[in-house]
Amino acid sequence: MTKKVAILAVNPVNGSGLFQYLESFFENGIPYRVFAVAETTQIKTNSGVSIEADDIVAHLKGAESEYDALVFACGDAMPKFTENAGRQENQDLLSVIKTFGDSGKTIAGHCVGGLLFDITGVAAGRRLAMHPFVRGAVKSAIATDRAFAVEENFYTAQNENSLHLLMPELIKVLK
């Protein structure tokens, strides 16, 4: 049975990464909804392309049971997150990741996704691929130098340039 996916898209989101998820899910008949980690559904890519997400992360919070998997689409996540950590959408982001992680559902992400999985405590002891710039900040997960990593229910890629290597593994578990 095909699994339903919630995609978290930060603002600004890395368009290359987001579009790889969207195209792969569409081409493989995997249902998904994109949730903006923002106050509105209007977000942009790092290169300035405007995107209309399906909904906002605040509406995913409390509705996590409707989805079988969570995908974190990176962008300027850490600088923006650090700058705005106290904002409600970022608190909702962490809450949603924690809920999915605690339930043992499939979680995927690239770039700093692994660091956010570590921050919430849901990836303790698991090997995760993530951007080299954030590996030193990891506390309880195990940051790898691999282009991608699959460990238990976690699917991570170092960045958008290695995401295509992870996608076949992620698609297998979602179909």
Side-chain angles (χ1 to χ4, degrees):
M1 181 176 144
T2 302
K3 296 180 178 176
K4 187 175 176 185
V5 180
I7 301 172
L8 296 172
V10 296
N11 188 25
V13 68
N14 177 278
S16 175
L18 176 62
F19 297 141
Q20 284 182 69
Y21 291 121
L22 298 179
E23 287 179 9
S24 293
F25 296 163
F26 177 79
E27 289 170 359
N28 286 281
I30 297 168
Y32 64 85
R33 284 183 55 85
V34 178
F35 293 86
V37 181
E39 293 177 346
T40 72
T41 57
Q42 287 289 317
I43 60 174
K44 291 188 177 206
T45 67
N46 297 65
S47 57
V49 175
S50 294
I51 297 174
E52 177 83 26
D54 297 309
D55 208 336
I56 59 173
V57 68
H59 297 150
L60 178 56
K61 187 177 174 187
E64 296 94 342
S65 64
E66 297 176 26
Y67 297 88
D68 305 296
L70 180 71
V71 168
F72 177 78
C74 194
D76 288 339
M78 287 321 291
K80 289 294 182 184
F81 183 82
T82 302
E83 184 181 308
N84 301 297
R87 292 181 59 102
Q88 188 60 52
E89 61 266 19
N90 287 321
Q91 295 305 305
D92 291 343
L93 163 74
L94 295 175
S95 175
V96 165
I97 290 171
K98 179 108 173 90
T99 299
F100 272 86
D102 288 347
S103 69
K105 293 181 180 184
T106 299
I107 297 180
H110 68 283
C111 202
V112 301
L115 181 58
L116 290 174
F117 306 155
D118 177 70
I119 289 169
T120 60
V122 299
R126 293 182 179 93
R127 296 185 191 288
L128 305 176
M130 62 187 74
H131 197 286
F133 292 153
V134 299
R135 280 198 296 254
V138 173
K139 303 281 189 236
S140 62
I142 303 163
T144 72
D145 290 328
R146 297 183 206 157
F148 75 95
V150 175
E151 187 152 333
E152 297 178 28
N153 57 318
F154 287 87
Y155 293 74
T156 53
Q158 192 174 68
N159 55 44
E160 70 277 4
N161 297 320
S162 60
L163 187 55
H164 71 282
L165 301 169
L166 175 68
M167 289 311 294
E169 298 301 317
L170 183 58
I171 296 301
K172 273 192 264 184
V173 77
L174 295 176
K175 282 187 113 174

